[in-house]
Amino acid sequence: MGKRSKQVEQAAADSSLEAEAAAELTGRADIPKVTPPGWPSREPIVVGAPTPAFEPKTVDKEYGRTPYRPDTVIDGWSSGAFTVRAASVRGYLHRYGGAPRQDDFAITVDPERERLVVAVADGVSSAKYSHIGSSTVVRYATRWLEEPPEPLEDGGWQSLFKSAAWTLTEQAAAVLSLPEADAEQAERMLATTLACAVCEPHPDGGLSAVVAAVGDSGVWLLTNGTFVPVLGGKEQSSSGLSSSAVVGLPRVPNDVAPQPVIVEPGQVLLVGTDGFGDPLGSGDGDVGGLFAGLLGDRVPSQLEFAHALDFSRETFDDDRTLVAIWPPRG
């Protein structure tokens, strides 16, 4: 019997004991006993060796307590040709230390134009206010991509990231009360990655998407249980080790290379931060198995999606953000 099965059985036993205790207190013996059909939502899904359990701390005042920064953000819906599930969860290390969730995402959909825009950002860990940086750039990028001021196929992506970098620099000046915009201060205090996707229905079915990124957030295509890298992610050395060095906004590469991708019915387009990408790796391990099972055959509920993303696995304690996009099923 696997470790997960033992924990599910233990949870069911605990639920039964709690029901019996409640019956004793109320004098009722007919209180229904409800056993969750899958992993109890009060416990994280464990993949391999778990992260130690603890109660999360509130965000420390040194990071600023306004605007309010929730531990977890969950979204999900269907509109026209698109079905979306999205979540951003605070990493175990940040929960333990009282740091804010540095990841963020934003999504817009125009049902009349049948156009979906997604932006995902991962605040650089060493930048104290990178949570403000990530929120700033995903909101700016989705607004920019809703009505691009210049064609995306004609240098527009480069303009987007440069404009987002300038917006981040101006935001840093406001947050830090600087006399003028300072790119070095913006990089030191608010640096963030940014990955974007623009999706439209494909004439032959499925979706046609274009994705682009600055930094190590990634894009994958899930097809028949296999995670195909599309864009981004960490570069691996010849030893197979991933570099922890991150170059994000306000730095913009000289050449931003957008990547077109076709999402056929039955496939799923994924846009996520390295908190998801690092434990996913090649997709052949247990984390890949968890998400291939969750996303491959059906669309999970919003809470199922977020619960899975908040899985517990030793050493993988970064924030995690993931947006999944399904085309209409054939």
Side-chain angles (χ1 to χ4, degrees), residues 32 69 98 121 125 151 164 168 170 184 187 214 222 226 259 261 269 272 274 310:
R69 190 72 172 175
S125 298
L168 184 69
E170 290 187 316
E184 289 187 6
E187 181 176 25
V214 169
L222 174 58
T226 299
Q259 180 70 39
V261 57
L269 184 67
D274 65 344
D310 197 28

Side-chain angles (χ1 to χ4, degrees), residues 11-59:
D14 291 346
S15 176
S16 177
L17 290 173
E18 289 173 0
E20 291 176 4
E24 183 176 347
L25 288 173
T26 61
R28 292 179 55 192
D30 57 349
I31 294 178
K33 300 174 183 177
V34 179
T35 301
W39 197 282
S41 60
R42 64 184 180 185
E43 298 178 3
I45 295 173
V46 176
V47 181
T51 298
F54 59 89
E55 178 65 16
K57 295 178 181 175
T58 186
V59 174

Side-chain angles (χ1 to χ4, degrees), residues 26 64 88 134 166 172 179 191 307 320:
T26 61
S88 180
S134 63
W166 178 246
H307 188 209
R320 299 180 192 136

Side-chain angles (χ1 to χ4, degrees), residues 34-166:
V34 179
T35 301
W39 197 282
S41 60
R42 64 184 180 185
E43 298 178 3
I45 295 173
V46 176
V47 181
T51 298
F54 59 89
E55 178 65 16
K57 295 178 181 175
T58 186
V59 174
D60 192 272
K61 64 180 181 181
E62 71 171 295
Y63 300 100
R65 287 178 175 160
T66 57
Y68 172 63
R69 190 72 172 175
D71 178 280
T72 298
V73 177
I74 302 172
D75 200 3
W77 36 262
S78 292
S79 177
F82 314 106
T83 294
V84 170
R85 295 291 182 267
S88 180
V89 301
R90 187 160 63 141
Y92 287 79
L93 183 61
H94 289 166
R95 287 171 177 165
Y96 183 79
R101 173 176 48 85
Q102 296 174 328
D103 283 6
D104 210 345
F105 69 86
I107 306 170
T108 65
V109 62
D110 185 337
E112 295 183 358
R113 296 164 59 196
E114 292 193 296
R115 197 160 185 269
L116 176 78
V117 173
V118 172
V120 167
D122 178 357
V124 174
S125 298
S126 59
K128 185 175 181 179
Y129 300 117
S130 64
H131 55 295
I132 297 175
S134 63
S135 296
T136 299
V137 298
V138 296
R139 292 167 186 168
Y140 178 84
T142 48
R143 285 198 305 270
W144 196 98
L145 288 167
E146 268 194 311
E147 297 288 347
E150 58 186 282
L152 291 175
E153 62 274 14
D154 190 21
W157 285 103
Q158 192 82 24
S159 295
L160 163 65
F161 288 111
K162 286 183 176 178
S163 299
W166 178 246

Side-chain angles (χ1 to χ4, degrees), residues 171-235:
Q171 182 67 44
V175 170
L176 303 174
S177 300
L178 302 177
E180 60 185 14
D182 186 328
E184 289 187 6
Q185 288 291 332
E187 181 176 25
R188 191 168 70 86
M189 301 299 283
L190 275 78
T192 180
T193 72
L194 176 62
C196 301
V198 177
C199 305
E200 297 175 337
H202 191 276
D204 297 332
L207 301 176
S208 173
V210 180
V211 298
V214 169
D216 61 4
S217 293
V219 181
W220 303 263
L221 185 67
L222 174 58
T223 175
N224 295 322
T226 299
F227 292 84
V228 179
V230 175
L231 188 73
K234 284 189 173 67
E235 294 183 0

Side-chain angles (χ1 to χ4, degrees), residues 267-327:
Q267 298 179 333
V268 190
L269 184 67
L270 302 171
V271 185
T273 60
D274 65 344
F276 169 76
D278 286 357
L280 176 70
S282 64
D284 296 334
D286 292 340
V287 173
L290 171 64
F291 282 89
L294 178 76
L295 309 175
D297 296 329
R298 64 184 179 89
V299 178
S301 73
Q302 294 97 323
L303 293 181
E304 280 183 287
F305 185 82
H307 188 209
L309 188 64
D310 197 28
F311 65 84
S312 174
R313 179 162 190 165
E314 190 177 36
T315 74
F316 291 103
D317 49 19
D318 198 2
D319 300 340
R320 299 180 192 136
T321 296
L322 184 64
V323 178
I325 306 152
W326 287 261

